[in-house]
Amino acid sequence: MKVWSVARSKRVLQCVSLAVLLCLTATVLLPVSVRAEEDNSLFSQLRLKKRGVTQPATTGHGMGSGIPATTESRIVNDGSVAAFITPDSPAQIQAMADKYAKIAAAGGWPEVPRGRIKKGSTGNQVASLNQRLYVEGYLQVEATQGEFQKVFTSATEDALKRFQVNHGLAPSGVIDAVTLAALNVPAQQRLATIKANIPRLAEYSKDLGPRYVVVNVPAQQIETVEGGKVYSLHNAIVGRPSRPTPVVMTPLTIVRFNPYWNAPPSIVERDIIPRMQSRGASKVLADMNVKVFQGVGGPEVDPDKINWRTAKIADYHFRQEPGGDNAMATAKIEFTSPFGIYLHDTPEPQLFRTANRFYSSGCVRVDKVAIMLEWILQGQDGLNAAKIAELAQSQERLDVNILNAPQLRVAYLTAWPAKGGVAAFREDVYEMDGTGFVVGQPLPVGEKQAGQRFVLKPIPYLQQDIDTNDGGGFLAALFGGKSARDQEVKPGQNKRAGDSLINLGGNPAKQASVNTASKTSKANGPATGKRFLFGSSKNSLAADPGATASKGPKKKTVQKKGAKPTATTAKSPAKPAAKTAAATSKTKAAAKPATPGKKPVSTTAAATPAAKPAATAAAKPDKAAKPAATAAAKPDKAAKPAASCKPGSGGKLPAGCPAPKPAAATMPAKPAAAAKTATN
């Protein structure tokens, strides 16, 4: 026994030693990944900046897709690039439709077999590629005949590069997987895409004027155009599929140099105040370059003299001052729009070097914005390139009303005429082709309102919502950590819970309860400032996740199976049987259960015009409240005298009596005032 105990002790010591060794190894190895996580946080980034060190951003939505961009921002101004939109676009896109219709009618183009081929390659795959490029118009017929038929020549390489550019791919001149997939999209499908863009180009080309800016959302690019020629190209960051960028046709109005960024209450509460409590309010805010005011427009306050554990956030205004870390960075370009979006700079220029830049919540971030600003302002008020650079350096606040303002087209083009008699194509990222969409606000992918994938007249964003949306870059670059990552969505990821233009609430149950208890005019989300974006207060979409929008201007809410109408909470279970029978006789026709095609019972009293306070409902049961007792399929049973189903001496009910419902048995009678609150 003693020998066994000694041996066992040795084994324990060995295990402990191994565990210690592993811990020491982890201590040596883990800091790399830990620092990578830590360096994305607000204060680590700020410390690195003070030391002159920059941390490369490689992961996360705020850090880019990790795939290199296939386009670049630059001044063109030589006529080598066809503009997305010109006054001639309607005629040109119709010509494209006629051409591709003939190709489709003739059987389309051949499929290119798999295999990585490049210049100098030979064989049947090259022959298929040459024929494919010829049919669409990228190659001359000579490339498909004689000695060149099966040879990947310089002409083939040039044609393939032009094809890649026109499809938003890297112009490598090599057949890779994405290029092969684009080559093998059927001609009939390309024709359908062209047809979807005919009405768009017809509308977008109206009243362009001599100078205009085009943001092509599917292409994630911006063009400035003057005299029919593209002056500059800019990579853009646009709305993710769950928060699409709307289509806008309007002139530009104002340039705001070094604008403020107003931190929304949600970010203040979730991200800023916890750090202030743990690390000191004034230190945290100084590092962030944020000032606190007693309400919007009020005097500045000393953050160290406020108890942030008990303070009401709505009483304070957190404003980030101009500077390199400002969410708007050096400039913001505004225009009149019902959608509340704008163009702006970003403190995260590295994102423009990545592909699939569908990162934002609707607004458009502009790469090399100084080039665009100089072109827009044309030297007015002495604002030339040198002055613009000086403003960015000095961080001086300056608002400039644009003279001779160019037109703006925030467009949704998945096909448009390119040079050489061919069409350019982009992915239908918002899934709007085939829906009739031309202008307005696309709904999040997978969502509809009244059977439509878009709306024309949404309620504009609130200012705090705009600032929340476009603080995404600020959060990703500075905050990091779980809280900031929750604000961001990687390209290709599913949207966050509640990340919807229809219902932006985070907790569906909480959202529904708040909407029920709030006044109709303010039923736009939780009290924390979240809201509905579309619809008026009367016709807004249902907050209840179990509800569906009706096909028409009037809102309907579907009651979940087995759920009691809210009106029943105002009804006391102790009412006499005679009153119950009387109420039943008056509501016999209205007391039938909801069936498909008929107006269902609403569970959201605030959003239902017919809903009335409990006192009114009791007086007029045929018009408002539908008691649970009378809502059964057979109202004659509901009118059964209560005395016949009283428990006997043993506590058992007589035969044939229904078992009592626990909720109804335990729920106390609510006063009329409580029911009235739920309808306000």
Side-chain angles (χ1 to χ4, degrees):
M1 176 67 77
K2 189 174 183 180
V3 174
W4 179 85
S5 299
V6 172
R8 182 174 178 273
S9 299
K10 287 183 177 180
R11 285 197 300 271
V12 170
L13 288 173
Q14 288 174 349
C15 292
V16 172
S17 300
L18 180 59
V20 172
L21 179 60
L22 288 174
C23 290
L24 290 173
T25 305
T27 304
V28 175
L29 296 177
L30 284 178
V32 176
S33 59
V34 171
R35 283 197 303 271
E37 179 74 18
E38 184 182 82
D39 287 341
N40 286 328
S41 70
L42 167 66
F43 303 101
S44 297
Q45 287 283 359
L46 292 173
R47 284 196 297 269
L48 287 174
K49 287 184 179 182
K50 289 178 180 178
R51 297 173 190 167
V53 179
T54 56
Q55 178 71 16
T58 56
T59 60
H61 155 243
M63 308 308 171
S65 65
I67 304 172
T70 60
T71 56
E72 63 176 340
S73 304
R74 67 188 193 278
I75 295 176
V76 184
N77 202 29
D78 59 4
S80 61
V81 177
F84 292 128
I85 304 170
T86 70
D88 297 330
S89 289
Q92 292 175 350
I93 194 67
Q94 186 58 58
M96 291 293 101
D98 296 340
K99 172 183 174 177
Y100 281 74
K102 291 179 180 178
I103 294 173
W109 40 64
E111 182 175 344
V112 180
R114 291 183 179 180
R116 188 176 179 86
I117 56 176
K118 57 183 180 179
K119 184 178 178 181
S121 299
T122 59
N124 292 332
Q125 185 186 10
V126 177
S128 297
L129 173 63
N130 285 339
Q131 183 67 20
R132 163 68 181 85
L133 294 171
Y134 161 70
V135 170
E136 191 170 5
Y138 285 95
L139 268 178
Q140 299 295 322
V141 67
E142 291 79 11
T144 65
Q145 299 172 345
E147 60 179 318
F148 301 113
Q149 181 181 6
K150 296 184 179 182
V151 180
F152 198 124
T153 63
S154 296
T156 303
E157 183 182 47
D158 292 342
L160 184 59
K161 285 182 178 180
R162 286 194 295 121
F163 175 91
Q164 289 170 324
V165 168
N166 286 341
H167 290 75
L169 307 175
S172 63
V174 176
I175 298 288
D176 53 19
V178 290
T179 301
L180 184 65
L183 286 166
N184 288 333
V185 172
Q188 191 65 44
Q189 185 174 332
R190 293 302 191 196
L191 174 61
T193 301
I194 290 172
K195 288 181 176 179
N197 289 273
I198 291 176
R200 294 172 187 164
L201 282 167
E203 186 67 21
Y204 303 158
S205 61
K206 291 179 181 178
D207 304 320
L208 279 174
R211 301 172 69 242
Y212 53 93
V213 178
V214 179
V215 179
N216 189 350
V217 174
Q220 311 153 71
Q221 275 190 299
I222 306 172
E223 292 178 346
T224 60
V225 184
E226 185 168 5
K229 293 194 305 182
V230 175
Y231 173 78
S232 62
L233 288 168
H234 304 263
N235 284 354
I237 293 170
V238 295
R240 56 186 180 267
S242 61
R243 296 301 306 276
T245 294
V247 168
V248 174
M249 298 173 56
T250 181
L252 302 174
T253 56
I254 299 173
V255 173
R256 300 191 188 278
F257 288 97
N258 301 305
Y260 297 115
W261 180 68
N262 303 303
S266 59
I267 291 178
V268 171
E269 180 177 16
R270 184 181 55 250
D271 295 296
I272 298 178
I273 287 183
R275 289 171 171 81
M276 291 167 57
Q277 291 172 345
S278 63
R279 306 177 189 181
S282 59
K283 180 182 184 304
V284 168
L285 296 178
D287 285 341
M288 293 171 55
N289 196 23
V290 168
K291 294 181 179 180
V292 184
F293 300 87
Q294 188 74 46
V296 177
E300 185 177 355
V301 299
D302 184 349
D304 290 330
K305 294 182 179 180
I306 298 170
N307 185 351
W308 293 108
R309 298 185 184 278
T310 59
K312 293 182 179 179
I313 298 172
D315 293 341
Y316 299 94
H317 175 209
F318 285 67
R319 187 183 76 187
Q320 188 185 32
E321 301 301 294
D325 293 330
N326 184 282
M328 304 289 104
T330 64
K332 173 182 175 184
I333 306 170
E334 295 182 356
F335 44 87
T336 303
S337 165
F339 303 103
I341 64 168
Y342 43 75
L343 312 180
H344 67 92
D345 191 10
T346 175
E348 294 184 290
Q350 75 277 2
L351 292 179
F352 295 116
R353 299 193 293 272
T354 65
N356 302 318
R357 296 179 298 276
F358 299 98
Y359 302 150
S360 84
S361 294
C363 287
V364 179
R365 307 176 202 173
V366 186
D367 189 21
K368 296 188 177 178
V369 71
I371 294 174
M372 180 181 290
L373 292 172
E374 181 188 7
W375 180 86
I376 289 172
L377 295 171
Q378 292 185 306
Q380 77 169 72
D381 303 325
L383 292 168
N384 53 22
K387 181 61 177 177
I388 291 170
E390 180 185 328
L391 284 169
Q393 184 67 29
S394 67
Q395 301 177 9
E396 175 189 348
R397 282 283 297 115
L398 179 65
D399 295 337
V400 180
N401 292 316
I402 304 171
L403 303 178
N404 302 316
Q407 284 286 321
L408 171 69
R409 298 292 183 268
V410 180
Y412 191 82
L413 291 175
T414 52
W416 65 93
K419 283 188 173 293
V422 294
F425 297 93
R426 291 297 187 273
E427 182 183 356
D428 181 17
V429 66
Y430 296 161
E431 298 182 5
M432 302 307 298
D433 288 355
T435 67
F437 176 69
V438 176
V439 298
Q441 173 70 71
L443 294 178
V445 171
E447 294 186 13
K448 291 184 179 181
Q449 179 180 346
Q452 294 292 326
R453 284 279 296 111
F454 58 94
V455 294
L456 298 176
K457 295 181 179 180
I459 293 176
Y461 283 108
L462 301 176
Q463 181 63 45
Q464 67 184 44
D465 299 321
I466 298 171
D467 294 331
T468 300
N469 294 339
D470 290 277
F474 169 79
L475 289 174
L478 299 183
F479 279 129
K482 183 178 185 300
S483 179
R485 287 197 301 272
D486 288 344
Q487 287 290 317
E488 306 291 340
V489 177
K490 293 182 184 179
Q493 276 188 341
N494 293 328
K495 61 186 179 181
R496 300 189 306 269
D499 186 8
S500 165
L501 292 173
I502 296 176
N503 182 357
L504 294 177
N507 185 326
K510 182 178 179 181
Q511 180 78 21
S513 65
V514 171
N515 282 331
T516 302
S518 299
K519 292 185 177 181
T520 304
S521 62
K522 295 183 180 180
N524 293 326
T528 55
K530 294 187 179 179
R531 78 295 177 222
F532 290 121
L533 180 60
F534 299 122
S536 65
S537 58
K538 292 183 179 180
N539 299 324
S540 60
L541 295 178
D544 189 338
T548 57
S550 64
K551 293 183 178 180
K554 200 169 184 179
K555 188 196 106 174
K556 294 183 180 180
T557 310
V558 177
Q559 178 182 335
K560 294 182 180 179
K561 186 175 180 181
K564 279 190 173 185
T566 55
T568 61
T569 60
K571 176 175 176 273
S572 171
K575 285 189 177 182
K579 291 185 179 181
T580 305
T584 303
S585 63
K586 287 185 179 182
T587 59
K588 186 174 182 179
K592 294 180 181 180
T595 56
K598 295 186 179 182
K599 186 174 180 180
V601 180
S602 174
T603 60
T604 309
T608 308
K612 295 184 179 181
T616 306
K620 298 180 180 181
D622 56 327
K623 291 184 180 180
K626 298 178 182 180
T630 64
K634 297 179 180 180
D636 57 328
K637 288 186 178 181
K640 191 174 181 178
S644 62
C645 285
K646 287 184 177 181
S649 58
K652 296 184 179 180
L653 292 172
C657 289
K661 295 182 180 180
T666 59
M667 184 181 295
K670 289 187 178 181
K676 185 174 181 180
T677 303
T679 65
N680 287 340

